Amino acid sequence: MNTLIFATNNPNKVKEIRAVLGDGFDIITLKEAGILIDIPEPHDSLNANASQKSRTIYQLTQKDCFSEDTGLEVTALNGAPGVRSARYAGDDGNAEKNMEKLLFELQKYQDRSARFRTIISLILDGTEYFFEGICEGQIIGSAKGHQGFGYDPIFVPNGSQQSFAEMGMEEKNKFSHRKKATEQLIAFLKSR
Ligand code: IMP
């Protein structure tokens, strides 16, 4: 069994990635590893933020680890909120406020296309590797559904009629950016 530390404090991300990993791989969260820190995401790219998280944990533990950073990139807003997705409505914002702001900003545009993009940074034996997963879709006019997290209620992936928040995790994982990035991570780990 290959064990990796997953440098996140977000239980939703842990659940989604555990569902994809399957036999042969296990992840332990920061909490399970006894690391009680919140790692900042100060950079202007997903790669740099993901990298900061995994490098911080590697420096602390010297153990194989990975992190991920995800952004929602809206075409009409030139890729915003992107790397600022978590803090789009301000530092004391939350998912509701972020969605409210996004729907307000998008009011004047016809083009509702958007994509989630996940970058995974893996540190294995001290070397860093990156993986990417993208899910294309549309921002709908108002929130639908109560599952998932973040912007899930206002995002409908291409090929579905349901928002991510109307789907169970298994259904979300048929489309998900995070699933695609994780599959690449698994393929890489299996190939070694
Ligand atoms: P981060 O990767 O934790 O920095 O997340 C950035 C922002 O995107 C946060 O506001 C998350 O809630 C949101 N986010 C990340 N992944 C997803 C997802 O799979 N669905 C909906 N929102 C997400």
Side-chain angles (χ1 to χ4, degrees), residues 64-116:
D64 295 338
C65 60
F66 73 100
S67 74
E68 67 95 88
D69 203 36
T70 295
L72 176 61
E73 300 175 338
V74 179
T75 312
L77 305 178
N78 295 317
V83 72
R84 291 190 42 81
S85 294
R87 297 169 301 281
Y88 191 43
D91 283 341
D92 55 354
N94 55 32
E96 275 67 40
K97 287 184 185 164
N98 286 339
M99 286 190 286
E100 204 179 297
K101 177 168 177 186
L102 184 57
L103 293 177
F104 177 78
E105 297 290 339
L106 259 186
Q107 267 175 357
K108 50 184 179 289
Y109 298 101
Q110 294 276 324
D111 182 358
R112 313 279 301 188
S113 64
R115 61 184 195 166
F116 275 111

Side-chain angles (χ1 to χ4, degrees), residues 8 10 13 16 41 46 49 53 68-72 82-87 95 98 116 118 148-153 155 164 172 176-178:
T8 186
N10 182 330
K13 291 183 177 182
E16 288 185 11
E41 299 177 351
L46 298 174
N49 282 334
K53 289 186 260 188
E68 67 95 88
D69 203 36
T70 295
L72 176 61
V83 72
R84 291 190 42 81
S85 294
R87 297 169 301 281
N98 286 339
F116 275 111
T118 292
F149 68 104
Y151 296 88
D152 279 348
F155 183 85
F164 268 163
K172 179 177 176 184
S176 148
H177 41 294
R178 187 165 298 103

